[in-house]
Amino acid sequence: MFKGIYNGKQYHMGDIQAVLKRAWSAGVERIIVTGGSLEESKEALAIAETDARLFCTVGVHPTRCKEFEDSGDPEKHLQDLLTLAKEGKEKGKVVAIGECGLDYDRLHFCPSDIQKKYFEKQFELAYTMKLPMFLHMRAASQDFCDILQRNKDRFVAGVAHSFTGSAEDCDKLLSFSNVLIGINGCSLKTAENLEVVKGIPVERMMIETDSPYCDIKNTHAGIRYVKSSWPSKKKDKHDQECLVKGRNEPCLVRQVLEVVAGTKGITDIDQLSQTLYHNTCRVFFPHDLDSAAEALLASGREDL
């Protein structure tokens, strides 16, 4: 979509630079580009190398796990992912393994037994690389949490992104001390969704857009808390200065923040954003926090 292509049809020229410019202007400091297959992970790394503020993941989405067996050599496919993750980590660009997990809403793309097999296999990547995991869970909480439990010592941390589950599903995930919950527009559709979000401790939460998907629509329960807006036009009337109607963008993470704040009754939105940003850095950019802590200690020693 950021190349101007929607369902195989070209509507406008690619506008990724305009999209990124809007993000940086809106206060976004970093973007993690998600890989969902081996080829997509290669593309994500190539994109991440174009800007110091872009990073990426390496992994295979549950709906695409058939690619392991379609490759003819699943072990080599796993090794190719590992090689890519090593290359990207050495460049300071790969910050997580994923997007991986289980999606039982879309079994027509990949059956559950194959999803489970290759979700579990990707913990080998996380363990070898000592990287956190970018996780996907849809209508599969029992199997998902069983696999997490078996592998809980094999990954440093993770986020169950785009969370849309029940309060019970949420509690199961929060029982793993190293797992956080990722919230975006898909997490804010219904009154029940908002009740679940209300119950998630801020210290265990991240926010995201999952763009170009998961925008907050006018029909969503969370829309009443949205304060910020950007001009938008339909894709066939494209304007670089405007958002494309129905296509999510990184700048709109601000709206997710507003809905989380409104749902939780938090008035200090800047403090909330700082906490959520810190949570994200703690998982994906721990060296930055180490550096910041060292700088604070150093300045303290100078004061002495």
Side-chain angles (χ1 to χ4, degrees), residues 147-280:
I147 290 171
L148 273 194
Q149 182 62 36
R150 283 201 295 276
N151 294 278
K152 65 175 195 262
D153 300 323
R154 305 190 75 208
F155 70 109
V156 289
V159 58
H161 100 111
S162 192
F163 182 76
T164 58
S166 66
E168 184 185 0
D169 293 341
C170 188
D171 289 343
K172 282 182 190 171
L173 290 172
L174 292 175
S175 72
F176 297 94
S177 61
N178 59 346
V179 173
L180 284 79
I181 309 286
I183 300 301
N184 61 31
C186 288
S187 316
L188 307 167
K189 286 182 178 180
T190 68
E192 183 190 6
N193 290 154
L194 298 186
E195 278 302 309
V196 173
V197 168
K198 195 186 288 187
I200 302 171
V202 170
E203 294 72 25
R204 300 290 300 278
M205 184 188 289
M206 293 185 199
I207 57 172
E208 57 168 3
T209 59
D210 201 30
S211 56
Y213 314 108
C214 295
D215 54 326
I216 300 173
K217 300 188 186 301
N218 288 333
T219 53
H220 289 183
I223 193 70
R224 68 180 183 271
Y225 297 116
V226 171
K227 296 184 172 72
S228 58
S229 64
W230 281 258
S232 65
K233 290 187 176 180
K234 290 181 178 178
K235 57 184 177 286
D236 54 354
K237 293 186 167 53
H238 183 253
D239 179 338
Q240 291 265 5
E241 300 304 311
C242 297
L243 275 65
V244 173
K245 272 192 196 321
R247 184 187 73 173
N248 204 2
E249 285 194 16
C251 66
L252 294 173
V253 73
R254 173 80 192 186
Q255 294 185 343
V256 180
L257 176 68
E258 290 164 353
V259 178
V260 169
T263 299
K264 285 181 162 290
I266 294 170
T267 51
D268 191 343
I269 200 164
D270 292 332
Q271 180 57 53
L272 175 62
S273 72
Q274 284 298 316
T275 301
L276 296 170
Y277 185 71
H278 178 84
N279 296 346
T280 310

Side-chain angles (χ1 to χ4, degrees), residues 28-165:
V28 172
E29 292 196 0
R30 301 175 195 201
I31 294 171
I32 300 173
V33 183
T34 313
S37 67
L38 176 58
E39 284 309 308
E40 214 176 68
S41 297
K42 290 176 184 175
E43 285 183 48
L45 177 56
I47 292 168
E49 290 184 74
T50 64
D51 191 296
R53 296 161 289 188
L54 297 178
F55 302 86
C56 67
T57 73
V58 168
V60 180
H61 190 280
T63 60
R64 295 187 226 161
C65 277
K66 281 206 283 194
E67 76 170 46
F68 282 95
E69 302 195 347
D70 290 346
S71 72
D73 190 342
E75 275 307 313
K76 182 182 181 298
H77 203 72
L78 193 70
Q79 284 305 309
D80 289 347
L81 287 161
L82 181 61
T83 300
L84 183 65
K86 280 181 178 169
E87 177 197 336
K89 189 180 180 187
E90 283 166 10
K91 291 175 175 176
K93 288 297 181 181
V94 171
V95 296
I97 298 301
E99 175 178 358
C100 58
L102 300 175
D103 189 323
Y104 290 179
D105 273 345
R106 286 174 275 192
L107 292 172
H108 51 287
F109 289 121
C110 184
S112 60
D113 57 332
I114 292 178
Q115 287 192 31
K116 286 188 284 188
K117 180 177 181 179
Y118 293 106
F119 176 30
E120 196 131 20
K121 282 279 187 189
Q122 290 181 78
F123 283 90
E124 293 177 22
L125 303 176
Y127 181 73
T128 303
M129 295 304 305
K130 296 182 170 51
L131 282 172
M133 298 188 82
F134 190 70
L135 299 163
H136 177 104
M137 184 184 88
R138 281 279 184 278
S141 65
Q142 189 59 57
D143 286 349
F144 184 93
C145 290
D146 287 347
I147 290 171
L148 273 194
Q149 182 62 36
R150 283 201 295 276
N151 294 278
K152 65 175 195 262
D153 300 323
R154 305 190 75 208
F155 70 109
V156 289
V159 58
H161 100 111
S162 192
F163 182 76
T164 58

